[in-house]
Amino acid sequence: MSASHERELYEAWVELLSWMREYAREKGVRFEKEADFPDFIYRMERPYDLPTTIMTASLSDALGEPFLLADVSPRHAKLKRIGIRLPRAHIHLHAHYEPGKGLVTGKIPLTKERFFALADRAREALAFA
């Protein structure tokens, strides 16, 4: 993966995090940071140059039960992707960055509207559990 492609993936990750925060505000659920990047945690005196420290985040109900988990590959991974898991709906998606298209799952672009629909489905599945 080229450095520019990698940079675009992490910028798309930041955009996905903003969608998660927006969804949480609109729907009255919780956005929670679950984990930081290892190279942020262990950076010591080195500069940190990724656009966010968040590697894993979730959307949770009022009791803290996550209904959507999202993560991005750490910098040292060879094949980088963004993973989206809807535990109660038994869905696990992998999104990749494609130039000119942004995030795609398979061949389908991952838009904000599609993401919100996935989150709604996951939230409904949690309600039935």
PDB file of all heavy atoms in Angstrom, residues 61-96:
ATOM      1  N   ASP A  61     -25.768   1.387  23.541  1.00  0.00           N
ATOM      2  CA  ASP A  61     -27.019   1.875  24.101  1.00  0.00           C
ATOM      3  C   ASP A  61     -26.741   2.587  25.429  1.00  0.00           C
ATOM      4  O   ASP A  61     -25.589   2.722  25.851  1.00  0.00           O
ATOM      5  CB  ASP A  61     -28.029   0.735  24.263  1.00  0.00           C
ATOM      6  CG  ASP A  61     -27.620  -0.324  25.290  1.00  0.00           C
ATOM      7  OD1 ASP A  61     -26.626  -0.118  26.035  1.00  0.00           O
ATOM      8  OD2 ASP A  61     -28.299  -1.359  25.353  1.00  0.00           O
ATOM      9  N   ALA A  62     -27.800   3.023  26.093  1.00  0.00           N
ATOM     10  CA  ALA A  62     -27.652   3.790  27.333  1.00  0.00           C
ATOM     11  C   ALA A  62     -26.964   2.991  28.443  1.00  0.00           C
ATOM     12  O   ALA A  62     -26.335   3.571  29.324  1.00  0.00           O
ATOM     13  CB  ALA A  62     -29.018   4.268  27.811  1.00  0.00           C
ATOM     14  N   LEU A  63     -27.046   1.663  28.390  1.00  0.00           N
ATOM     15  CA  LEU A  63     -26.412   0.824  29.402  1.00  0.00           C
ATOM     16  C   LEU A  63     -24.966   0.481  29.060  1.00  0.00           C
ATOM     17  O   LEU A  63     -24.294  -0.214  29.823  1.00  0.00           O
ATOM     18  CB  LEU A  63     -27.218  -0.463  29.590  1.00  0.00           C
ATOM     19  CG  LEU A  63     -28.655  -0.280  30.074  1.00  0.00           C
ATOM     20  CD1 LEU A  63     -29.384  -1.620  30.094  1.00  0.00           C
ATOM     21  CD2 LEU A  63     -28.674   0.372  31.444  1.00  0.00           C
ATOM     22  N   GLY A  64     -24.500   0.943  27.908  1.00  0.00           N
ATOM     23  CA  GLY A  64     -23.125   0.671  27.513  1.00  0.00           C
ATOM     24  C   GLY A  64     -22.950  -0.595  26.698  1.00  0.00           C
ATOM     25  O   GLY A  64     -21.829  -1.010  26.424  1.00  0.00           O
ATOM     26  N   GLU A  65     -24.043  -1.230  26.283  1.00  0.00           N
ATOM     27  CA  GLU A  65     -23.976  -2.438  25.455  1.00  0.00           C
ATOM     28  C   GLU A  65     -23.715  -2.028  24.004  1.00  0.00           C
ATOM     29  O   GLU A  65     -24.535  -1.366  23.380  1.00  0.00           O
ATOM     30  CB  GLU A  65     -25.293  -3.205  25.543  1.00  0.00           C
ATOM     31  CG  GLU A  65     -25.346  -4.460  24.724  1.00  0.00           C
ATOM     32  CD  GLU A  65     -24.528  -5.598  25.307  1.00  0.00           C
ATOM     33  OE1 GLU A  65     -24.339  -5.634  26.527  1.00  0.00           O
ATOM     34  OE2 GLU A  65     -24.080  -6.449  24.522  1.00  0.00           O
ATOM     35  N   PRO A  66     -22.562  -2.394  23.441  1.00  0.00           N
ATOM     36  CA  PRO A  66     -22.271  -1.973  22.065  1.00  0.00           C
ATOM     37  C   PRO A  66     -23.139  -2.708  21.046  1.00  0.00           C
ATOM     38  O   PRO A  66     -23.359  -3.909  21.162  1.00  0.00           O
ATOM     39  CB  PRO A  66     -20.798  -2.304  21.883  1.00  0.00           C
ATOM     40  CG  PRO A  66     -20.486  -3.311  22.917  1.00  0.00           C
ATOM     41  CD  PRO A  66     -21.459  -3.136  24.031  1.00  0.00           C
ATOM     42  N   PHE A  67     -23.633  -1.955  20.075  1.00  0.00           N
ATOM     43  CA  PHE A  67     -24.378  -2.564  18.978  1.00  0.00           C
ATOM     44  C   PHE A  67     -23.644  -2.399  17.646  1.00  0.00           C
ATOM     45  O   PHE A  67     -24.015  -3.009  16.652  1.00  0.00           O
ATOM     46  CB  PHE A  67     -25.813  -2.036  18.888  1.00  0.00           C
ATOM     47  CG  PHE A  67     -25.942  -0.556  18.700  1.00  0.00           C
ATOM     48  CD1 PHE A  67     -25.900   0.008  17.440  1.00  0.00           C
ATOM     49  CD2 PHE A  67     -26.121   0.273  19.804  1.00  0.00           C
ATOM     50  CE1 PHE A  67     -26.024   1.370  17.270  1.00  0.00           C
ATOM     51  CE2 PHE A  67     -26.254   1.640  19.641  1.00  0.00           C
ATOM     52  CZ  PHE A  67     -26.206   2.202  18.369  1.00  0.00           C
ATOM     53  N   LEU A  68     -22.601  -1.585  17.619  1.00  0.00           N
ATOM     54  CA  LEU A  68     -21.772  -1.435  16.430  1.00  0.00           C
ATOM     55  C   LEU A  68     -20.341  -1.175  16.867  1.00  0.00           C
ATOM     56  O   LEU A  68     -20.103  -0.311  17.710  1.00  0.00           O
ATOM     57  CB  LEU A  68     -22.274  -0.280  15.563  1.00  0.00           C
ATOM     58  CG  LEU A  68     -21.559  -0.098  14.222  1.00  0.00           C
ATOM     59  CD1 LEU A  68     -22.543   0.383  13.169  1.00  0.00           C
ATOM     60  CD2 LEU A  68     -20.397   0.870  14.320  1.00  0.00           C
ATOM     61  N   LEU A  69     -19.422  -1.954  16.338  1.00  0.00           N
ATOM     62  CA  LEU A  69     -17.990  -1.787  16.615  1.00  0.00           C
ATOM     63  C   LEU A  69     -17.286  -1.506  15.299  1.00  0.00           C
ATOM     64  O   LEU A  69     -17.563  -2.166  14.292  1.00  0.00           O
ATOM     65  CB  LEU A  69     -17.395  -3.047  17.233  1.00  0.00           C
ATOM     66  CG  LEU A  69     -17.934  -3.419  18.601  1.00  0.00           C
ATOM     67  CD1 LEU A  69     -17.699  -4.886  18.894  1.00  0.00           C
ATOM     68  CD2 LEU A  69     -17.269  -2.565  19.652  1.00  0.00           C
ATOM     69  N   ALA A  70     -16.392  -0.540  15.304  1.00  0.00           N
ATOM     70  CA  ALA A  70     -15.615  -0.227  14.103  1.00  0.00           C
ATOM     71  C   ALA A  70     -14.148  -0.126  14.486  1.00  0.00           C
ATOM     72  O   ALA A  70     -13.814   0.371  15.560  1.00  0.00           O
ATOM     73  CB  ALA A  70     -16.093   1.082  13.492  1.00  0.00           C
ATOM     74  N   ASP A  71     -13.287  -0.623  13.601  1.00  0.00           N
ATOM     75  CA  ASP A  71     -11.850  -0.542  13.853  1.00  0.00           C
ATOM     76  C   ASP A  71     -11.121  -0.376  12.534  1.00  0.00           C
ATOM     77  O   ASP A  71     -11.657  -0.685  11.470  1.00  0.00           O
ATOM     78  CB  ASP A  71     -11.347  -1.790  14.580  1.00  0.00           C
ATOM     79  CG  ASP A  71     -11.471  -3.033  13.736  1.00  0.00           C
ATOM     80  OD1 ASP A  71     -12.547  -3.668  13.741  1.00  0.00           O
ATOM     81  OD2 ASP A  71     -10.490  -3.381  13.052  1.00  0.00           O
ATOM     82  N   VAL A  72      -9.918   0.130  12.625  1.00  0.00           N
ATOM     83  CA  VAL A  72      -9.059   0.277  11.452  1.00  0.00           C
ATOM     84  C   VAL A  72      -7.753  -0.452  11.742  1.00  0.00           C
ATOM     85  O   VAL A  72      -7.327  -0.551  12.894  1.00  0.00           O
ATOM     86  CB  VAL A  72      -8.823   1.771  11.112  1.00  0.00           C
ATOM     87  CG1 VAL A  72      -8.018   2.465  12.181  1.00  0.00           C
ATOM     88  CG2 VAL A  72      -8.173   1.935   9.754  1.00  0.00           C
ATOM     89  N   SER A  73      -7.146  -0.966  10.695  1.00  0.00           N
ATOM     90  CA  SER A  73      -5.871  -1.673  10.853  1.00  0.00           C
ATOM     91  C   SER A  73      -4.796  -0.728  11.368  1.00  0.00           C
ATOM     92  O   SER A  73      -4.744   0.433  10.977  1.00  0.00           O
ATOM     93  CB  SER A  73      -5.418  -2.238   9.508  1.00  0.00           C
ATOM     94  OG  SER A  73      -6.352  -3.148   9.012  1.00  0.00           O
ATOM     95  N   PRO A  74      -3.912  -1.241  12.224  1.00  0.00           N
ATOM     96  CA  PRO A  74      -2.789  -0.414  12.672  1.00  0.00           C
ATOM     97  C   PRO A  74      -1.796  -0.208  11.523  1.00  0.00           C
ATOM     98  O   PRO A  74      -1.828  -0.926  10.522  1.00  0.00           O
ATOM     99  CB  PRO A  74      -2.166  -1.229  13.805  1.00  0.00           C
ATOM    100  CG  PRO A  74      -2.580  -2.630  13.534  1.00  0.00           C
ATOM    101  CD  PRO A  74      -3.910  -2.561  12.844  1.00  0.00           C
ATOM    102  N   ARG A  75      -0.956   0.757  11.679  1.00  0.00           N
ATOM    103  CA  ARG A  75      -0.016   1.132  10.631  1.00  0.00           C
ATOM    104  C   ARG A  75       0.892  -0.027  10.211  1.00  0.00           C
ATOM    105  O   ARG A  75       1.247  -0.134   9.044  1.00  0.00           O
ATOM    106  CB  ARG A  75       0.823   2.313  11.111  1.00  0.00           C
ATOM    107  CG  ARG A  75       1.562   2.972  10.000  1.00  0.00           C
ATOM    108  CD  ARG A  75       2.368   4.165  10.382  1.00  0.00           C
ATOM    109  NE  ARG A  75       2.177   4.710  11.681  1.00  0.00           N
ATOM    110  CZ  ARG A  75       2.287   5.992  11.953  1.00  0.00           C
ATOM    111  NH1 ARG A  75       2.567   6.835  11.005  1.00  0.00           N
ATOM    112  NH2 ARG A  75       2.139   6.432  13.175  1.00  0.00           N
ATOM    113  N   HIS A  76       1.269  -0.901  11.128  1.00  0.00           N
ATOM    114  CA  HIS A  76       2.196  -1.980  10.789  1.00  0.00           C
ATOM    115  C   HIS A  76       1.546  -3.131  10.019  1.00  0.00           C
ATOM    116  O   HIS A  76       2.247  -3.991   9.495  1.00  0.00           O
ATOM    117  CB  HIS A  76       2.882  -2.515  12.054  1.00  0.00           C
ATOM    118  CG  HIS A  76       1.940  -3.164  13.007  1.00  0.00           C
ATOM    119  ND1 HIS A  76       1.330  -2.466  14.028  1.00  0.00           N
ATOM    120  CD2 HIS A  76       1.476  -4.435  13.086  1.00  0.00           C
ATOM    121  CE1 HIS A  76       0.544  -3.294  14.700  1.00  0.00           C
ATOM    122  NE2 HIS A  76       0.619  -4.484  14.150  1.00  0.00           N
ATOM    123  N   ALA A  77       0.224  -3.170   9.906  1.00  0.00           N
ATOM    124  CA  ALA A  77      -0.454  -4.242   9.172  1.00  0.00           C
ATOM    125  C   ALA A  77      -0.148  -4.147   7.673  1.00  0.00           C
ATOM    126  O   ALA A  77      -0.079  -3.046   7.127  1.00  0.00           O
ATOM    127  CB  ALA A  77      -1.952  -4.175   9.409  1.00  0.00           C
ATOM    128  N   LYS A  78       0.022  -5.274   7.039  1.00  0.00           N
ATOM    129  CA  LYS A  78       0.315  -5.285   5.595  1.00  0.00           C
ATOM    130  C   LYS A  78      -0.926  -4.942   4.777  1.00  0.00           C
ATOM    131  O   LYS A  78      -0.871  -4.132   3.872  1.00  0.00           O
ATOM    132  CB  LYS A  78       0.846  -6.653   5.170  1.00  0.00           C
ATOM    133  CG  LYS A  78       2.144  -7.028   5.827  1.00  0.00           C
ATOM    134  CD  LYS A  78       3.296  -6.339   5.169  1.00  0.00           C
ATOM    135  CE  LYS A  78       4.582  -6.857   5.767  1.00  0.00           C
ATOM    136  NZ  LYS A  78       5.586  -5.851   5.912  1.00  0.00           N
ATOM    137  N   LEU A  79      -2.037  -5.617   5.068  1.00  0.00           N
ATOM    138  CA  LEU A  79      -3.298  -5.369   4.362  1.00  0.00           C
ATOM    139  C   LEU A  79      -4.202  -4.548   5.276  1.00  0.00           C
ATOM    140  O   LEU A  79      -4.734  -5.059   6.257  1.00  0.00           O
ATOM    141  CB  LEU A  79      -3.974  -6.687   3.988  1.00  0.00           C
ATOM    142  CG  LEU A  79      -3.175  -7.584   3.043  1.00  0.00           C
ATOM    143  CD1 LEU A  79      -3.861  -8.929   2.884  1.00  0.00           C
ATOM    144  CD2 LEU A  79      -2.998  -6.908   1.697  1.00  0.00           C
ATOM    145  N   LYS A  80      -4.383  -3.299   4.944  1.00  0.00           N
ATOM    146  CA  LYS A  80      -5.146  -2.404   5.816  1.00  0.00           C
ATOM    147  C   LYS A  80      -6.595  -2.337   5.369  1.00  0.00           C
ATOM    148  O   LYS A  80      -6.889  -2.344   4.180  1.00  0.00           O
ATOM    149  CB  LYS A  80      -4.511  -1.025   5.819  1.00  0.00           C
ATOM    150  CG  LYS A  80      -3.139  -1.030   6.468  1.00  0.00           C
ATOM    151  CD  LYS A  80      -2.512   0.334   6.425  1.00  0.00           C
ATOM    152  CE  LYS A  80      -1.182   0.355   7.114  1.00  0.00           C
ATOM    153  NZ  LYS A  80      -0.186  -0.523   6.581  1.00  0.00           N
ATOM    154  N   ARG A  81      -7.479  -2.251   6.347  1.00  0.00           N
ATOM    155  CA  ARG A  81      -8.912  -2.170   6.091  1.00  0.00           C
ATOM    156  C   ARG A  81      -9.602  -1.570   7.304  1.00  0.00           C
ATOM    157  O   ARG A  81      -9.022  -1.449   8.384  1.00  0.00           O
ATOM    158  CB  ARG A  81      -9.492  -3.525   5.741  1.00  0.00           C
ATOM    159  CG  ARG A  81      -9.202  -4.630   6.775  1.00  0.00           C
ATOM    160  CD  ARG A  81     -10.210  -4.663   7.845  1.00  0.00           C
ATOM    161  NE  ARG A  81      -9.946  -5.611   8.905  1.00  0.00           N
ATOM    162  CZ  ARG A  81     -10.087  -5.277  10.182  1.00  0.00           C
ATOM    163  NH1 ARG A  81     -10.371  -4.071  10.533  1.00  0.00           N
ATOM    164  NH2 ARG A  81      -9.923  -6.156  11.124  1.00  0.00           N
ATOM    165  N   ILE A  82     -10.859  -1.223   7.122  1.00  0.00           N
ATOM    166  CA  ILE A  82     -11.717  -0.791   8.224  1.00  0.00           C
ATOM    167  C   ILE A  82     -12.741  -1.901   8.425  1.00  0.00           C
ATOM    168  O   ILE A  82     -13.355  -2.363   7.462  1.00  0.00           O
ATOM    169  CB  ILE A  82     -12.404   0.551   7.907  1.00  0.00           C
ATOM    170  CG1 ILE A  82     -11.360   1.665   7.858  1.00  0.00           C
ATOM    171  CG2 ILE A  82     -13.495   0.860   8.930  1.00  0.00           C
ATOM    172  CD1 ILE A  82     -11.879   2.998   7.395  1.00  0.00           C
ATOM    173  N   GLY A  83     -12.885  -2.355   9.653  1.00  0.00           N
ATOM    174  CA  GLY A  83     -13.852  -3.398   9.970  1.00  0.00           C
ATOM    175  C   GLY A  83     -15.044  -2.802  10.691  1.00  0.00           C
ATOM    176  O   GLY A  83     -14.888  -1.929  11.542  1.00  0.00           O
ATOM    177  N   ILE A  84     -16.227  -3.269  10.333  1.00  0.00           N
ATOM    178  CA  ILE A  84     -17.463  -2.846  10.998  1.00  0.00           C
ATOM    179  C   ILE A  84     -18.188  -4.116  11.415  1.00  0.00           C
ATOM    180  O   ILE A  84     -18.473  -4.976  10.581  1.00  0.00           O
ATOM    181  CB  ILE A  84     -18.354  -1.999  10.071  1.00  0.00           C
ATOM    182  CG1 ILE A  84     -17.602  -0.742   9.631  1.00  0.00           C
ATOM    183  CG2 ILE A  84     -19.664  -1.642  10.766  1.00  0.00           C
ATOM    184  CD1 ILE A  84     -18.304   0.044   8.560  1.00  0.00           C
ATOM    185  N   ARG A  85     -18.458  -4.215  12.705  1.00  0.00           N
ATOM    186  CA  ARG A  85     -19.140  -5.396  13.239  1.00  0.00           C
ATOM    187  C   ARG A  85     -20.457  -4.976  13.884  1.00  0.00           C
ATOM    188  O   ARG A  85     -20.494  -4.042  14.684  1.00  0.00           O
ATOM    189  CB  ARG A  85     -18.273  -6.089  14.280  1.00  0.00           C
ATOM    190  CG  ARG A  85     -17.054  -6.740  13.699  1.00  0.00           C
ATOM    191  CD  ARG A  85     -16.150  -7.299  14.794  1.00  0.00           C
ATOM    192  NE  ARG A  85     -14.947  -7.886  14.251  1.00  0.00           N
ATOM    193  CZ  ARG A  85     -13.889  -7.190  13.833  1.00  0.00           C
ATOM    194  NH1 ARG A  85     -13.890  -5.893  13.904  1.00  0.00           N
ATOM    195  NH2 ARG A  85     -12.837  -7.810  13.348  1.00  0.00           N
ATOM    196  N   LEU A  86     -21.502  -5.707  13.537  1.00  0.00           N
ATOM    197  CA  LEU A  86     -22.807  -5.530  14.158  1.00  0.00           C
ATOM    198  C   LEU A  86     -23.095  -6.824  14.907  1.00  0.00           C
ATOM    199  O   LEU A  86     -23.633  -7.764  14.347  1.00  0.00           O
ATOM    200  CB  LEU A  86     -23.886  -5.245  13.099  1.00  0.00           C
ATOM    201  CG  LEU A  86     -23.546  -4.196  12.042  1.00  0.00           C
ATOM    202  CD1 LEU A  86     -24.684  -4.045  11.054  1.00  0.00           C
ATOM    203  CD2 LEU A  86     -23.205  -2.876  12.670  1.00  0.00           C
ATOM    204  N   PRO A  87     -22.661  -6.909  16.179  1.00  0.00           N
ATOM    205  CA  PRO A  87     -22.681  -8.195  16.884  1.00  0.00           C
ATOM    206  C   PRO A  87     -24.036  -8.884  16.947  1.00  0.00           C
ATOM    207  O   PRO A  87     -24.126 -10.074  16.712  1.00  0.00           O
ATOM    208  CB  PRO A  87     -22.172  -7.859  18.289  1.00  0.00           C
ATOM    209  CG  PRO A  87     -21.690  -6.472  18.252  1.00  0.00           C
ATOM    210  CD  PRO A  87     -22.158  -5.838  16.996  1.00  0.00           C
ATOM    211  N   ARG A  88     -25.085  -8.159  17.252  1.00  0.00           N
ATOM    212  CA  ARG A  88     -26.408  -8.792  17.395  1.00  0.00           C
ATOM    213  C   ARG A  88     -27.055  -9.096  16.051  1.00  0.00           C
ATOM    214  O   ARG A  88     -27.946  -9.930  15.976  1.00  0.00           O
ATOM    215  CB  ARG A  88     -27.334  -7.904  18.222  1.00  0.00           C
ATOM    216  CG  ARG A  88     -26.842  -7.611  19.604  1.00  0.00           C
ATOM    217  CD  ARG A  88     -26.830  -8.859  20.438  1.00  0.00           C
ATOM    218  NE  ARG A  88     -26.313  -8.549  21.762  1.00  0.00           N
ATOM    219  CZ  ARG A  88     -26.654  -9.198  22.836  1.00  0.00           C
ATOM    220  NH1 ARG A  88     -27.492 -10.195  22.783  1.00  0.00           N
ATOM    221  NH2 ARG A  88     -26.127  -8.874  23.998  1.00  0.00           N
ATOM    222  N   ALA A  89     -26.623  -8.417  15.007  1.00  0.00           N
ATOM    223  CA  ALA A  89     -27.161  -8.677  13.672  1.00  0.00           C
ATOM    224  C   ALA A  89     -26.305  -9.693  12.925  1.00  0.00           C
ATOM    225  O   ALA A  89     -26.624 -10.071  11.807  1.00  0.00           O
ATOM    226  CB  ALA A  89     -27.249  -7.376  12.879  1.00  0.00           C
ATOM    227  N   HIS A  90     -25.198 -10.138  13.531  1.00  0.00           N
ATOM    228  CA  HIS A  90     -24.289 -11.122  12.946  1.00  0.00           C
ATOM    229  C   HIS A  90     -23.748 -10.675  11.587  1.00  0.00           C
ATOM    230  O   HIS A  90     -23.690 -11.459  10.647  1.00  0.00           O
ATOM    231  CB  HIS A  90     -24.956 -12.492  12.841  1.00  0.00           C
ATOM    232  CG  HIS A  90     -25.485 -12.977  14.150  1.00  0.00           C
ATOM    233  ND1 HIS A  90     -24.657 -13.356  15.189  1.00  0.00           N
ATOM    234  CD2 HIS A  90     -26.748 -13.093  14.611  1.00  0.00           C
ATOM    235  CE1 HIS A  90     -25.397 -13.705  16.228  1.00  0.00           C
ATOM    236  NE2 HIS A  90     -26.661 -13.554  15.912  1.00  0.00           N
ATOM    237  N   ILE A  91     -23.359  -9.410  11.517  1.00  0.00           N
ATOM    238  CA  ILE A  91     -22.791  -8.852  10.288  1.00  0.00           C
ATOM    239  C   ILE A  91     -21.381  -8.371  10.588  1.00  0.00           C
ATOM    240  O   ILE A  91     -21.139  -7.734  11.603  1.00  0.00           O
ATOM    241  CB  ILE A  91     -23.654  -7.689   9.760  1.00  0.00           C
ATOM    242  CG1 ILE A  91     -25.022  -8.215   9.338  1.00  0.00           C
ATOM    243  CG2 ILE A  91     -22.962  -6.968   8.611  1.00  0.00           C
ATOM    244  CD1 ILE A  91     -25.997  -7.129   8.956  1.00  0.00           C
ATOM    245  N   HIS A  92     -20.467  -8.683   9.682  1.00  0.00           N
ATOM    246  CA  HIS A  92     -19.086  -8.218   9.785  1.00  0.00           C
ATOM    247  C   HIS A  92     -18.660  -7.771   8.385  1.00  0.00           C
ATOM    248  O   HIS A  92     -18.599  -8.578   7.468  1.00  0.00           O
ATOM    249  CB  HIS A  92     -18.189  -9.342  10.278  1.00  0.00           C
ATOM    250  CG  HIS A  92     -16.775  -8.929  10.474  1.00  0.00           C
ATOM    251  ND1 HIS A  92     -15.852  -9.719  11.070  1.00  0.00           N
ATOM    252  CD2 HIS A  92     -16.112  -7.799  10.165  1.00  0.00           C
ATOM    253  CE1 HIS A  92     -14.677  -9.114  11.112  1.00  0.00           C
ATOM    254  NE2 HIS A  92     -14.815  -7.932  10.549  1.00  0.00           N
ATOM    255  N   LEU A  93     -18.416  -6.483   8.245  1.00  0.00           N
ATOM    256  CA  LEU A  93     -18.036  -5.919   6.959  1.00  0.00           C
ATOM    257  C   LEU A  93     -16.591  -5.452   6.991  1.00  0.00           C
ATOM    258  O   LEU A  93     -16.106  -5.001   8.026  1.00  0.00           O
ATOM    259  CB  LEU A  93     -18.919  -4.716   6.625  1.00  0.00           C
ATOM    260  CG  LEU A  93     -20.422  -4.961   6.545  1.00  0.00           C
ATOM    261  CD1 LEU A  93     -21.161  -3.644   6.458  1.00  0.00           C
ATOM    262  CD2 LEU A  93     -20.745  -5.832   5.351  1.00  0.00           C
ATOM    263  N   HIS A  94     -15.937  -5.539   5.850  1.00  0.00           N
ATOM    264  CA  HIS A  94     -14.604  -4.969   5.683  1.00  0.00           C
ATOM    265  C   HIS A  94     -14.715  -3.886   4.620  1.00  0.00           C
ATOM    266  O   HIS A  94     -15.233  -4.142   3.540  1.00  0.00           O
ATOM    267  CB  HIS A  94     -13.597  -6.016   5.223  1.00  0.00           C
ATOM    268  CG  HIS A  94     -13.170  -6.919   6.310  1.00  0.00           C
ATOM    269  ND1 HIS A  94     -12.051  -7.702   6.227  1.00  0.00           N
ATOM    270  CD2 HIS A  94     -13.685  -7.172   7.525  1.00  0.00           C
ATOM    271  CE1 HIS A  94     -11.906  -8.403   7.336  1.00  0.00           C
ATOM    272  NE2 HIS A  94     -12.897  -8.100   8.137  1.00  0.00           N
ATOM    273  N   ALA A  95     -14.249  -2.702   4.946  1.00  0.00           N
ATOM    274  CA  ALA A  95     -14.244  -1.597   3.987  1.00  0.00           C
ATOM    275  C   ALA A  95     -12.805  -1.283   3.613  1.00  0.00           C
ATOM    276  O   ALA A  95     -11.910  -1.335   4.457  1.00  0.00           O
ATOM    277  CB  ALA A  95     -14.921  -0.371   4.593  1.00  0.00           C
ATOM    278  N   HIS A  96     -12.613  -0.974   2.362  1.00  0.00           N
ATOM    279  CA  HIS A  96     -11.299  -0.600   1.841  1.00  0.00           C
ATOM    280  C   HIS A  96     -11.436   0.753   1.165  1.00  0.00           C
ATOM    281  O   HIS A  96     -12.511   1.124   0.711  1.00  0.00           O
ATOM    282  CB  HIS A  96     -10.787  -1.637   0.840  1.00  0.00           C
ATOM    283  CG  HIS A  96     -10.665  -2.997   1.425  1.00  0.00           C
ATOM    284  ND1 HIS A  96      -9.529  -3.408   2.078  1.00  0.00           N
ATOM    285  CD2 HIS A  96     -11.535  -4.029   1.492  1.00  0.00           C
ATOM    286  CE1 HIS A  96      -9.708  -4.644   2.511  1.00  0.00           C
ATOM    287  NE2 HIS A  96     -10.912  -5.044   2.173  1.00  0.00           N
TER     288      HIS A  96
END
